[in-house]
Amino acid sequence: MILGTVTGAYEAVISLTVQGPAGQTREVESVIDTGFTGFLSLPSALVTELGLPFLTTESAFLADGSLVSFSVHDATVFWDGHPRRVYVHISDATPLVGMRMLDGHDLNIRVRDGGRVAIEAAQ
């Protein structure tokens, strides 16, 4: 089970360990975003620091209707105690956990300041 908390700004936040190809790791506080259909977004500086390999460029519509292009990189995330290869979109904003990362899991959020966030594999 992955546990997190709801912040005073009402963001559901979890901590993830992201690993680069040379084995270096960083702990990343990430906001759960059910409107993001990808796996994970990270700032470009962190992608560079970890040496995450470039895979492709993708386009997506944002909530405001604008079309943007994102670089997509390969990374390993420790998810519920296990390494998992994921696609990382570069976005110089708060790191986000998207719906593909949550695929096959149940998400429970107690929505209040300090509320519990729990992610567990679906049965």
PDB file of all heavy atoms in Angstrom, residues 75-115:
ATOM      1  N   ALA A  75      11.854   5.880 -17.082  1.00  0.00           N
ATOM      2  CA  ALA A  75      12.330   5.878 -15.693  1.00  0.00           C
ATOM      3  C   ALA A  75      11.834   4.635 -14.977  1.00  0.00           C
ATOM      4  O   ALA A  75      10.913   3.956 -15.432  1.00  0.00           O
ATOM      5  CB  ALA A  75      11.833   7.118 -14.958  1.00  0.00           C
ATOM      6  N   THR A  76      12.438   4.375 -13.848  1.00  0.00           N
ATOM      7  CA  THR A  76      11.968   3.341 -12.945  1.00  0.00           C
ATOM      8  C   THR A  76      11.450   4.032 -11.693  1.00  0.00           C
ATOM      9  O   THR A  76      12.121   4.912 -11.142  1.00  0.00           O
ATOM     10  CB  THR A  76      13.095   2.355 -12.569  1.00  0.00           C
ATOM     11  OG1 THR A  76      13.538   1.710 -13.761  1.00  0.00           O
ATOM     12  CG2 THR A  76      12.618   1.312 -11.577  1.00  0.00           C
ATOM     13  N   VAL A  77      10.257   3.646 -11.266  1.00  0.00           N
ATOM     14  CA  VAL A  77       9.648   4.173 -10.046  1.00  0.00           C
ATOM     15  C   VAL A  77       9.439   2.997  -9.110  1.00  0.00           C
ATOM     16  O   VAL A  77       9.022   1.910  -9.541  1.00  0.00           O
ATOM     17  CB  VAL A  77       8.295   4.856 -10.351  1.00  0.00           C
ATOM     18  CG1 VAL A  77       7.564   5.228  -9.077  1.00  0.00           C
ATOM     19  CG2 VAL A  77       8.500   6.077 -11.230  1.00  0.00           C
ATOM     20  N   PHE A  78       9.740   3.192  -7.834  1.00  0.00           N
ATOM     21  CA  PHE A  78       9.440   2.149  -6.848  1.00  0.00           C
ATOM     22  C   PHE A  78       8.009   2.364  -6.397  1.00  0.00           C
ATOM     23  O   PHE A  78       7.690   3.348  -5.744  1.00  0.00           O
ATOM     24  CB  PHE A  78      10.451   2.185  -5.698  1.00  0.00           C
ATOM     25  CG  PHE A  78      11.795   1.718  -6.169  1.00  0.00           C
ATOM     26  CD1 PHE A  78      12.723   2.611  -6.664  1.00  0.00           C
ATOM     27  CD2 PHE A  78      12.100   0.369  -6.177  1.00  0.00           C
ATOM     28  CE1 PHE A  78      13.948   2.175  -7.145  1.00  0.00           C
ATOM     29  CE2 PHE A  78      13.325  -0.083  -6.652  1.00  0.00           C
ATOM     30  CZ  PHE A  78      14.253   0.827  -7.138  1.00  0.00           C
ATOM     31  N   TRP A  79       7.154   1.450  -6.833  1.00  0.00           N
ATOM     32  CA  TRP A  79       5.707   1.565  -6.654  1.00  0.00           C
ATOM     33  C   TRP A  79       5.249   0.411  -5.775  1.00  0.00           C
ATOM     34  O   TRP A  79       5.353  -0.753  -6.164  1.00  0.00           O
ATOM     35  CB  TRP A  79       5.034   1.525  -8.023  1.00  0.00           C
ATOM     36  CG  TRP A  79       3.563   1.715  -8.013  1.00  0.00           C
ATOM     37  CD1 TRP A  79       2.624   0.738  -8.180  1.00  0.00           C
ATOM     38  CD2 TRP A  79       2.856   2.940  -7.845  1.00  0.00           C
ATOM     39  NE1 TRP A  79       1.374   1.288  -8.113  1.00  0.00           N
ATOM     40  CE2 TRP A  79       1.483   2.646  -7.914  1.00  0.00           C
ATOM     41  CE3 TRP A  79       3.249   4.264  -7.626  1.00  0.00           C
ATOM     42  CZ2 TRP A  79       0.500   3.614  -7.780  1.00  0.00           C
ATOM     43  CZ3 TRP A  79       2.270   5.228  -7.493  1.00  0.00           C
ATOM     44  CH2 TRP A  79       0.915   4.904  -7.578  1.00  0.00           C
ATOM     45  N   ASP A  80       4.788   0.739  -4.601  1.00  0.00           N
ATOM     46  CA  ASP A  80       4.324  -0.262  -3.644  1.00  0.00           C
ATOM     47  C   ASP A  80       5.415  -1.305  -3.387  1.00  0.00           C
ATOM     48  O   ASP A  80       5.157  -2.502  -3.319  1.00  0.00           O
ATOM     49  CB  ASP A  80       3.033  -0.920  -4.136  1.00  0.00           C
ATOM     50  CG  ASP A  80       2.201  -1.527  -3.009  1.00  0.00           C
ATOM     51  OD1 ASP A  80       2.464  -1.205  -1.831  1.00  0.00           O
ATOM     52  OD2 ASP A  80       1.301  -2.325  -3.310  1.00  0.00           O
ATOM     53  N   GLY A  81       6.654  -0.825  -3.259  1.00  0.00           N
ATOM     54  CA  GLY A  81       7.783  -1.688  -2.926  1.00  0.00           C
ATOM     55  C   GLY A  81       8.429  -2.411  -4.081  1.00  0.00           C
ATOM     56  O   GLY A  81       9.396  -3.151  -3.884  1.00  0.00           O
ATOM     57  N   HIS A  82       7.930  -2.205  -5.311  1.00  0.00           N
ATOM     58  CA  HIS A  82       8.459  -2.920  -6.468  1.00  0.00           C
ATOM     59  C   HIS A  82       8.902  -1.939  -7.550  1.00  0.00           C
ATOM     60  O   HIS A  82       8.228  -0.929  -7.784  1.00  0.00           O
ATOM     61  CB  HIS A  82       7.395  -3.854  -7.054  1.00  0.00           C
ATOM     62  CG  HIS A  82       6.861  -4.833  -6.066  1.00  0.00           C
ATOM     63  ND1 HIS A  82       7.552  -5.962  -5.691  1.00  0.00           N
ATOM     64  CD2 HIS A  82       5.711  -4.842  -5.347  1.00  0.00           C
ATOM     65  CE1 HIS A  82       6.848  -6.629  -4.792  1.00  0.00           C
ATOM     66  NE2 HIS A  82       5.731  -5.968  -4.566  1.00  0.00           N
ATOM     67  N   PRO A  83      10.000  -2.248  -8.250  1.00  0.00           N
ATOM     68  CA  PRO A  83      10.404  -1.374  -9.358  1.00  0.00           C
ATOM     69  C   PRO A  83       9.417  -1.495 -10.518  1.00  0.00           C
ATOM     70  O   PRO A  83       8.938  -2.594 -10.818  1.00  0.00           O
ATOM     71  CB  PRO A  83      11.789  -1.897  -9.751  1.00  0.00           C
ATOM     72  CG  PRO A  83      11.853  -3.282  -9.216  1.00  0.00           C
ATOM     73  CD  PRO A  83      10.914  -3.358  -8.053  1.00  0.00           C
ATOM     74  N   ARG A  84       9.118  -0.364 -11.126  1.00  0.00           N
ATOM     75  CA  ARG A  84       8.161  -0.330 -12.234  1.00  0.00           C
ATOM     76  C   ARG A  84       8.652   0.674 -13.276  1.00  0.00           C
ATOM     77  O   ARG A  84       8.906   1.833 -12.951  1.00  0.00           O
ATOM     78  CB  ARG A  84       6.801   0.100 -11.689  1.00  0.00           C
ATOM     79  CG  ARG A  84       5.707   0.154 -12.709  1.00  0.00           C
ATOM     80  CD  ARG A  84       4.399   0.492 -12.021  1.00  0.00           C
ATOM     81  NE  ARG A  84       3.362   0.695 -13.011  1.00  0.00           N
ATOM     82  CZ  ARG A  84       2.178   1.188 -12.732  1.00  0.00           C
ATOM     83  NH1 ARG A  84       1.855   1.527 -11.494  1.00  0.00           N
ATOM     84  NH2 ARG A  84       1.285   1.355 -13.672  1.00  0.00           N
ATOM     85  N   ARG A  85       8.810   0.221 -14.510  1.00  0.00           N
ATOM     86  CA  ARG A  85       9.226   1.123 -15.590  1.00  0.00           C
ATOM     87  C   ARG A  85       8.028   1.927 -16.057  1.00  0.00           C
ATOM     88  O   ARG A  85       6.956   1.370 -16.299  1.00  0.00           O
ATOM     89  CB  ARG A  85       9.824   0.341 -16.747  1.00  0.00           C
ATOM     90  CG  ARG A  85      11.202  -0.194 -16.340  1.00  0.00           C
ATOM     91  CD  ARG A  85      11.981  -0.728 -17.468  1.00  0.00           C
ATOM     92  NE  ARG A  85      12.269   0.297 -18.455  1.00  0.00           N
ATOM     93  CZ  ARG A  85      12.665   0.016 -19.691  1.00  0.00           C
ATOM     94  NH1 ARG A  85      12.790  -1.217 -20.073  1.00  0.00           N
ATOM     95  NH2 ARG A  85      12.914   0.979 -20.528  1.00  0.00           N
ATOM     96  N   VAL A  86       8.230   3.237 -16.172  1.00  0.00           N
ATOM     97  CA  VAL A  86       7.144   4.139 -16.553  1.00  0.00           C
ATOM     98  C   VAL A  86       7.659   5.181 -17.536  1.00  0.00           C
ATOM     99  O   VAL A  86       8.861   5.399 -17.672  1.00  0.00           O
ATOM    100  CB  VAL A  86       6.527   4.852 -15.321  1.00  0.00           C
ATOM    101  CG1 VAL A  86       5.955   3.849 -14.341  1.00  0.00           C
ATOM    102  CG2 VAL A  86       7.535   5.760 -14.647  1.00  0.00           C
ATOM    103  N   TYR A  87       6.714   5.830 -18.192  1.00  0.00           N
ATOM    104  CA  TYR A  87       7.017   6.964 -19.053  1.00  0.00           C
ATOM    105  C   TYR A  87       6.847   8.241 -18.239  1.00  0.00           C
ATOM    106  O   TYR A  87       5.848   8.408 -17.541  1.00  0.00           O
ATOM    107  CB  TYR A  87       6.081   7.014 -20.254  1.00  0.00           C
ATOM    108  CG  TYR A  87       6.183   5.820 -21.168  1.00  0.00           C
ATOM    109  CD1 TYR A  87       5.041   5.165 -21.611  1.00  0.00           C
ATOM    110  CD2 TYR A  87       7.420   5.335 -21.593  1.00  0.00           C
ATOM    111  CE1 TYR A  87       5.118   4.069 -22.451  1.00  0.00           C
ATOM    112  CE2 TYR A  87       7.504   4.236 -22.435  1.00  0.00           C
ATOM    113  CZ  TYR A  87       6.353   3.614 -22.860  1.00  0.00           C
ATOM    114  OH  TYR A  87       6.440   2.529 -23.689  1.00  0.00           O
ATOM    115  N   VAL A  88       7.833   9.113 -18.332  1.00  0.00           N
ATOM    116  CA  VAL A  88       7.822  10.378 -17.613  1.00  0.00           C
ATOM    117  C   VAL A  88       7.685  11.513 -18.609  1.00  0.00           C
ATOM    118  O   VAL A  88       8.475  11.623 -19.548  1.00  0.00           O
ATOM    119  CB  VAL A  88       9.118  10.558 -16.796  1.00  0.00           C
ATOM    120  CG1 VAL A  88       9.207  11.957 -16.211  1.00  0.00           C
ATOM    121  CG2 VAL A  88       9.205   9.515 -15.698  1.00  0.00           C
ATOM    122  N   HIS A  89       6.678  12.359 -18.409  1.00  0.00           N
ATOM    123  CA  HIS A  89       6.510  13.567 -19.210  1.00  0.00           C
ATOM    124  C   HIS A  89       7.234  14.712 -18.513  1.00  0.00           C
ATOM    125  O   HIS A  89       7.129  14.848 -17.293  1.00  0.00           O
ATOM    126  CB  HIS A  89       5.028  13.941 -19.337  1.00  0.00           C
ATOM    127  CG  HIS A  89       4.252  13.020 -20.212  1.00  0.00           C
ATOM    128  ND1 HIS A  89       3.854  11.760 -19.815  1.00  0.00           N
ATOM    129  CD2 HIS A  89       3.796  13.181 -21.468  1.00  0.00           C
ATOM    130  CE1 HIS A  89       3.193  11.185 -20.799  1.00  0.00           C
ATOM    131  NE2 HIS A  89       3.140  12.020 -21.816  1.00  0.00           N
ATOM    132  N   ILE A  90       7.953  15.513 -19.280  1.00  0.00           N
ATOM    133  CA  ILE A  90       8.595  16.695 -18.696  1.00  0.00           C
ATOM    134  C   ILE A  90       7.568  17.806 -18.594  1.00  0.00           C
ATOM    135  O   ILE A  90       6.911  18.160 -19.572  1.00  0.00           O
ATOM    136  CB  ILE A  90       9.799  17.169 -19.526  1.00  0.00           C
ATOM    137  CG1 ILE A  90      10.955  16.184 -19.376  1.00  0.00           C
ATOM    138  CG2 ILE A  90      10.230  18.557 -19.087  1.00  0.00           C
ATOM    139  CD1 ILE A  90      12.226  16.607 -20.065  1.00  0.00           C
ATOM    140  N   SER A  91       7.448  18.357 -17.395  1.00  0.00           N
ATOM    141  CA  SER A  91       6.605  19.510 -17.141  1.00  0.00           C
ATOM    142  C   SER A  91       7.227  20.281 -15.988  1.00  0.00           C
ATOM    143  O   SER A  91       7.416  19.727 -14.905  1.00  0.00           O
ATOM    144  CB  SER A  91       5.181  19.076 -16.770  1.00  0.00           C
ATOM    145  OG  SER A  91       4.413  20.204 -16.427  1.00  0.00           O
ATOM    146  N   ASP A  92       7.569  21.540 -16.244  1.00  0.00           N
ATOM    147  CA  ASP A  92       8.213  22.331 -15.199  1.00  0.00           C
ATOM    148  C   ASP A  92       7.182  22.919 -14.255  1.00  0.00           C
ATOM    149  O   ASP A  92       7.056  24.124 -14.078  1.00  0.00           O
ATOM    150  CB  ASP A  92       9.119  23.393 -15.823  1.00  0.00           C
ATOM    151  CG  ASP A  92      10.382  22.767 -16.397  1.00  0.00           C
ATOM    152  OD1 ASP A  92      10.924  21.854 -15.747  1.00  0.00           O
ATOM    153  OD2 ASP A  92      10.792  23.156 -17.495  1.00  0.00           O
ATOM    154  N   ALA A  93       6.422  22.019 -13.665  1.00  0.00           N
ATOM    155  CA  ALA A  93       5.409  22.351 -12.665  1.00  0.00           C
ATOM    156  C   ALA A  93       5.542  21.310 -11.558  1.00  0.00           C
ATOM    157  O   ALA A  93       6.485  20.525 -11.538  1.00  0.00           O
ATOM    158  CB  ALA A  93       4.012  22.312 -13.303  1.00  0.00           C
ATOM    159  N   THR A  94       4.596  21.270 -10.671  1.00  0.00           N
ATOM    160  CA  THR A  94       4.592  20.273  -9.602  1.00  0.00           C
ATOM    161  C   THR A  94       4.563  18.871 -10.214  1.00  0.00           C
ATOM    162  O   THR A  94       3.784  18.619 -11.143  1.00  0.00           O
ATOM    163  CB  THR A  94       3.343  20.476  -8.720  1.00  0.00           C
ATOM    164  OG1 THR A  94       3.377  21.791  -8.182  1.00  0.00           O
ATOM    165  CG2 THR A  94       3.286  19.460  -7.613  1.00  0.00           C
ATOM    166  N   PRO A  95       5.391  17.933  -9.731  1.00  0.00           N
ATOM    167  CA  PRO A  95       5.316  16.556 -10.228  1.00  0.00           C
ATOM    168  C   PRO A  95       3.910  15.988 -10.029  1.00  0.00           C
ATOM    169  O   PRO A  95       3.275  16.226  -8.990  1.00  0.00           O
ATOM    170  CB  PRO A  95       6.338  15.809  -9.366  1.00  0.00           C
ATOM    171  CG  PRO A  95       7.327  16.871  -8.991  1.00  0.00           C
ATOM    172  CD  PRO A  95       6.499  18.105  -8.772  1.00  0.00           C
ATOM    173  N   LEU A  96       3.448  15.256 -11.043  1.00  0.00           N
ATOM    174  CA  LEU A  96       2.097  14.698 -11.024  1.00  0.00           C
ATOM    175  C   LEU A  96       2.118  13.188 -11.218  1.00  0.00           C
ATOM    176  O   LEU A  96       2.889  12.676 -12.036  1.00  0.00           O
ATOM    177  CB  LEU A  96       1.239  15.313 -12.139  1.00  0.00           C
ATOM    178  CG  LEU A  96       1.056  16.822 -12.132  1.00  0.00           C
ATOM    179  CD1 LEU A  96       0.301  17.257 -13.375  1.00  0.00           C
ATOM    180  CD2 LEU A  96       0.341  17.266 -10.866  1.00  0.00           C
ATOM    181  N   VAL A  97       1.243  12.501 -10.507  1.00  0.00           N
ATOM    182  CA  VAL A  97       0.971  11.077 -10.718  1.00  0.00           C
ATOM    183  C   VAL A  97      -0.339  11.006 -11.488  1.00  0.00           C
ATOM    184  O   VAL A  97      -1.352  11.552 -11.050  1.00  0.00           O
ATOM    185  CB  VAL A  97       0.834  10.318  -9.383  1.00  0.00           C
ATOM    186  CG1 VAL A  97       0.330   8.908  -9.614  1.00  0.00           C
ATOM    187  CG2 VAL A  97       2.162  10.304  -8.649  1.00  0.00           C
ATOM    188  N   GLY A  98      -0.299  10.347 -12.647  1.00  0.00           N
ATOM    189  CA  GLY A  98      -1.483  10.267 -13.491  1.00  0.00           C
ATOM    190  C   GLY A  98      -2.210   8.937 -13.403  1.00  0.00           C
ATOM    191  O   GLY A  98      -1.825   8.020 -12.670  1.00  0.00           O
ATOM    192  N   MET A  99      -3.261   8.846 -14.191  1.00  0.00           N
ATOM    193  CA  MET A  99      -4.145   7.684 -14.153  1.00  0.00           C
ATOM    194  C   MET A  99      -3.477   6.390 -14.616  1.00  0.00           C
ATOM    195  O   MET A  99      -3.824   5.316 -14.138  1.00  0.00           O
ATOM    196  CB  MET A  99      -5.397   7.963 -14.983  1.00  0.00           C
ATOM    197  CG  MET A  99      -6.295   9.022 -14.356  1.00  0.00           C
ATOM    198  SD  MET A  99      -6.915   8.568 -12.730  1.00  0.00           S
ATOM    199  CE  MET A  99      -8.164   7.373 -13.197  1.00  0.00           C
ATOM    200  N   ARG A 100      -2.515   6.460 -15.530  1.00  0.00           N
ATOM    201  CA  ARG A 100      -1.841   5.213 -15.946  1.00  0.00           C
ATOM    202  C   ARG A 100      -1.036   4.619 -14.808  1.00  0.00           C
ATOM    203  O   ARG A 100      -0.907   3.405 -14.696  1.00  0.00           O
ATOM    204  CB  ARG A 100      -0.951   5.463 -17.154  1.00  0.00           C
ATOM    205  CG  ARG A 100      -1.775   5.774 -18.363  1.00  0.00           C
ATOM    206  CD  ARG A 100      -1.292   5.090 -19.570  1.00  0.00           C
ATOM    207  NE  ARG A 100      -2.258   5.408 -20.612  1.00  0.00           N
ATOM    208  CZ  ARG A 100      -1.987   5.456 -21.868  1.00  0.00           C
ATOM    209  NH1 ARG A 100      -0.774   5.190 -22.273  1.00  0.00           N
ATOM    210  NH2 ARG A 100      -2.914   5.740 -22.734  1.00  0.00           N
ATOM    211  N   MET A 101      -0.488   5.485 -13.947  1.00  0.00           N
ATOM    212  CA  MET A 101       0.244   4.989 -12.781  1.00  0.00           C
ATOM    213  C   MET A 101      -0.725   4.299 -11.825  1.00  0.00           C
ATOM    214  O   MET A 101      -0.382   3.313 -11.176  1.00  0.00           O
ATOM    215  CB  MET A 101       0.951   6.140 -12.078  1.00  0.00           C
ATOM    216  CG  MET A 101       1.816   5.706 -10.918  1.00  0.00           C
ATOM    217  SD  MET A 101       3.278   4.781 -11.395  1.00  0.00           S
ATOM    218  CE  MET A 101       4.387   6.109 -11.729  1.00  0.00           C
ATOM    219  N   LEU A 102      -1.947   4.788 -11.755  1.00  0.00           N
ATOM    220  CA  LEU A 102      -2.949   4.240 -10.836  1.00  0.00           C
ATOM    221  C   LEU A 102      -3.706   3.045 -11.408  1.00  0.00           C
ATOM    222  O   LEU A 102      -4.485   2.411 -10.691  1.00  0.00           O
ATOM    223  CB  LEU A 102      -3.947   5.337 -10.453  1.00  0.00           C
ATOM    224  CG  LEU A 102      -3.365   6.529  -9.696  1.00  0.00           C
ATOM    225  CD1 LEU A 102      -4.393   7.645  -9.613  1.00  0.00           C
ATOM    226  CD2 LEU A 102      -2.866   6.121  -8.334  1.00  0.00           C
ATOM    227  N   ASP A 103      -3.483   2.725 -12.680  1.00  0.00           N
ATOM    228  CA  ASP A 103      -4.193   1.619 -13.322  1.00  0.00           C
ATOM    229  C   ASP A 103      -4.035   0.335 -12.509  1.00  0.00           C
ATOM    230  O   ASP A 103      -2.938  -0.031 -12.096  1.00  0.00           O
ATOM    231  CB  ASP A 103      -3.654   1.413 -14.742  1.00  0.00           C
ATOM    232  CG  ASP A 103      -4.446   0.393 -15.526  1.00  0.00           C
ATOM    233  OD1 ASP A 103      -5.669   0.292 -15.324  1.00  0.00           O
ATOM    234  OD2 ASP A 103      -3.828  -0.313 -16.354  1.00  0.00           O
ATOM    235  N   GLY A 104      -5.150  -0.336 -12.255  1.00  0.00           N
ATOM    236  CA  GLY A 104      -5.126  -1.587 -11.512  1.00  0.00           C
ATOM    237  C   GLY A 104      -5.063  -1.401 -10.003  1.00  0.00           C
ATOM    238  O   GLY A 104      -4.811  -2.359  -9.269  1.00  0.00           O
ATOM    239  N   HIS A 105      -5.291  -0.181  -9.550  1.00  0.00           N
ATOM    240  CA  HIS A 105      -5.231   0.124  -8.120  1.00  0.00           C
ATOM    241  C   HIS A 105      -6.507   0.822  -7.665  1.00  0.00           C
ATOM    242  O   HIS A 105      -7.210   1.430  -8.462  1.00  0.00           O
ATOM    243  CB  HIS A 105      -4.030   1.029  -7.822  1.00  0.00           C
ATOM    244  CG  HIS A 105      -2.731   0.333  -7.995  1.00  0.00           C
ATOM    245  ND1 HIS A 105      -2.191   0.060  -9.230  1.00  0.00           N
ATOM    246  CD2 HIS A 105      -1.861  -0.173  -7.079  1.00  0.00           C
ATOM    247  CE1 HIS A 105      -1.041  -0.575  -9.071  1.00  0.00           C
ATOM    248  NE2 HIS A 105      -0.822  -0.726  -7.780  1.00  0.00           N
ATOM    249  N   ASP A 106      -6.771   0.731  -6.383  1.00  0.00           N
ATOM    250  CA  ASP A 106      -7.849   1.492  -5.765  1.00  0.00           C
ATOM    251  C   ASP A 106      -7.229   2.712  -5.100  1.00  0.00           C
ATOM    252  O   ASP A 106      -6.191   2.599  -4.437  1.00  0.00           O
ATOM    253  CB  ASP A 106      -8.577   0.652  -4.709  1.00  0.00           C
ATOM    254  CG  ASP A 106      -9.350  -0.502  -5.323  1.00  0.00           C
ATOM    255  OD1 ASP A 106      -9.855  -0.344  -6.455  1.00  0.00           O
ATOM    256  OD2 ASP A 106      -9.445  -1.553  -4.674  1.00  0.00           O
ATOM    257  N   LEU A 107      -7.883   3.852  -5.267  1.00  0.00           N
ATOM    258  CA  LEU A 107      -7.430   5.111  -4.671  1.00  0.00           C
ATOM    259  C   LEU A 107      -8.486   5.578  -3.691  1.00  0.00           C
ATOM    260  O   LEU A 107      -9.664   5.693  -4.041  1.00  0.00           O
ATOM    261  CB  LEU A 107      -7.231   6.164  -5.771  1.00  0.00           C
ATOM    262  CG  LEU A 107      -6.992   7.607  -5.320  1.00  0.00           C
ATOM    263  CD1 LEU A 107      -5.681   7.720  -4.555  1.00  0.00           C
ATOM    264  CD2 LEU A 107      -6.991   8.520  -6.539  1.00  0.00           C
ATOM    265  N   ASN A 108      -8.071   5.826  -2.450  1.00  0.00           N
ATOM    266  CA  ASN A 108      -8.978   6.330  -1.442  1.00  0.00           C
ATOM    267  C   ASN A 108      -8.384   7.604  -0.858  1.00  0.00           C
ATOM    268  O   ASN A 108      -7.229   7.607  -0.434  1.00  0.00           O
ATOM    269  CB  ASN A 108      -9.188   5.297  -0.331  1.00  0.00           C
ATOM    270  CG  ASN A 108     -10.181   5.778   0.696  1.00  0.00           C
ATOM    271  OD1 ASN A 108      -9.823   6.516   1.601  1.00  0.00           O
ATOM    272  ND2 ASN A 108     -11.418   5.359   0.544  1.00  0.00           N
ATOM    273  N   ILE A 109      -9.177   8.683  -0.874  1.00  0.00           N
ATOM    274  CA  ILE A 109      -8.715   9.967  -0.350  1.00  0.00           C
ATOM    275  C   ILE A 109      -9.732  10.475   0.662  1.00  0.00           C
ATOM    276  O   ILE A 109     -10.912  10.627   0.327  1.00  0.00           O
ATOM    277  CB  ILE A 109      -8.552  11.012  -1.475  1.00  0.00           C
ATOM    278  CG1 ILE A 109      -7.602  10.505  -2.557  1.00  0.00           C
ATOM    279  CG2 ILE A 109      -8.076  12.342  -0.903  1.00  0.00           C
ATOM    280  CD1 ILE A 109      -7.556  11.387  -3.791  1.00  0.00           C
ATOM    281  N   ARG A 110      -9.281  10.737   1.871  1.00  0.00           N
ATOM    282  CA  ARG A 110     -10.122  11.411   2.860  1.00  0.00           C
ATOM    283  C   ARG A 110      -9.859  12.897   2.660  1.00  0.00           C
ATOM    284  O   ARG A 110      -8.798  13.407   3.029  1.00  0.00           O
ATOM    285  CB  ARG A 110      -9.773  10.993   4.274  1.00  0.00           C
ATOM    286  CG  ARG A 110     -10.597  11.816   5.277  1.00  0.00           C
ATOM    287  CD  ARG A 110     -10.731  11.186   6.592  1.00  0.00           C
ATOM    288  NE  ARG A 110     -11.478   9.934   6.433  1.00  0.00           N
ATOM    289  CZ  ARG A 110     -11.588   9.040   7.400  1.00  0.00           C
ATOM    290  NH1 ARG A 110     -11.032   9.241   8.558  1.00  0.00           N
ATOM    291  NH2 ARG A 110     -12.269   7.936   7.196  1.00  0.00           N
ATOM    292  N   VAL A 111     -10.810  13.567   2.032  1.00  0.00           N
ATOM    293  CA  VAL A 111     -10.605  14.949   1.600  1.00  0.00           C
ATOM    294  C   VAL A 111     -10.853  15.911   2.755  1.00  0.00           C
ATOM    295  O   VAL A 111     -11.983  16.264   3.068  1.00  0.00           O
ATOM    296  CB  VAL A 111     -11.494  15.292   0.383  1.00  0.00           C
ATOM    297  CG1 VAL A 111     -11.216  16.711  -0.083  1.00  0.00           C
ATOM    298  CG2 VAL A 111     -11.247  14.303  -0.747  1.00  0.00           C
ATOM    299  N   ARG A 112      -9.739  16.272   3.387  1.00  0.00           N
ATOM    300  CA  ARG A 112      -9.681  17.307   4.418  1.00  0.00           C
ATOM    301  C   ARG A 112      -8.205  17.567   4.668  1.00  0.00           C
ATOM    302  O   ARG A 112      -7.353  16.720   4.353  1.00  0.00           O
ATOM    303  CB  ARG A 112     -10.399  16.889   5.687  1.00  0.00           C
ATOM    304  CG  ARG A 112      -9.746  15.743   6.412  1.00  0.00           C
ATOM    305  CD  ARG A 112     -10.457  15.463   7.718  1.00  0.00           C
ATOM    306  NE  ARG A 112      -9.747  14.422   8.440  1.00  0.00           N
ATOM    307  CZ  ARG A 112     -10.312  13.608   9.288  1.00  0.00           C
ATOM    308  NH1 ARG A 112     -11.599  13.701   9.525  1.00  0.00           N
ATOM    309  NH2 ARG A 112      -9.613  12.703   9.909  1.00  0.00           N
ATOM    310  N   ASP A 113      -7.882  18.709   5.202  1.00  0.00           N
ATOM    311  CA  ASP A 113      -6.492  19.036   5.501  1.00  0.00           C
ATOM    312  C   ASP A 113      -5.918  17.950   6.409  1.00  0.00           C
ATOM    313  O   ASP A 113      -6.477  17.644   7.457  1.00  0.00           O
ATOM    314  CB  ASP A 113      -6.422  20.403   6.183  1.00  0.00           C
ATOM    315  CG  ASP A 113      -5.000  20.888   6.398  1.00  0.00           C
ATOM    316  OD1 ASP A 113      -4.054  20.226   5.930  1.00  0.00           O
ATOM    317  OD2 ASP A 113      -4.837  21.939   7.049  1.00  0.00           O
ATOM    318  N   GLY A 114      -4.836  17.318   5.980  1.00  0.00           N
ATOM    319  CA  GLY A 114      -4.228  16.235   6.735  1.00  0.00           C
ATOM    320  C   GLY A 114      -4.869  14.884   6.508  1.00  0.00           C
ATOM    321  O   GLY A 114      -4.469  13.896   7.127  1.00  0.00           O
ATOM    322  N   GLY A 115      -5.838  14.816   5.602  1.00  0.00           N
ATOM    323  CA  GLY A 115      -6.527  13.560   5.319  1.00  0.00           C
ATOM    324  C   GLY A 115      -5.594  12.515   4.733  1.00  0.00           C
ATOM    325  O   GLY A 115      -4.549  12.822   4.166  1.00  0.00           O
TER     326      GLY A 115
END
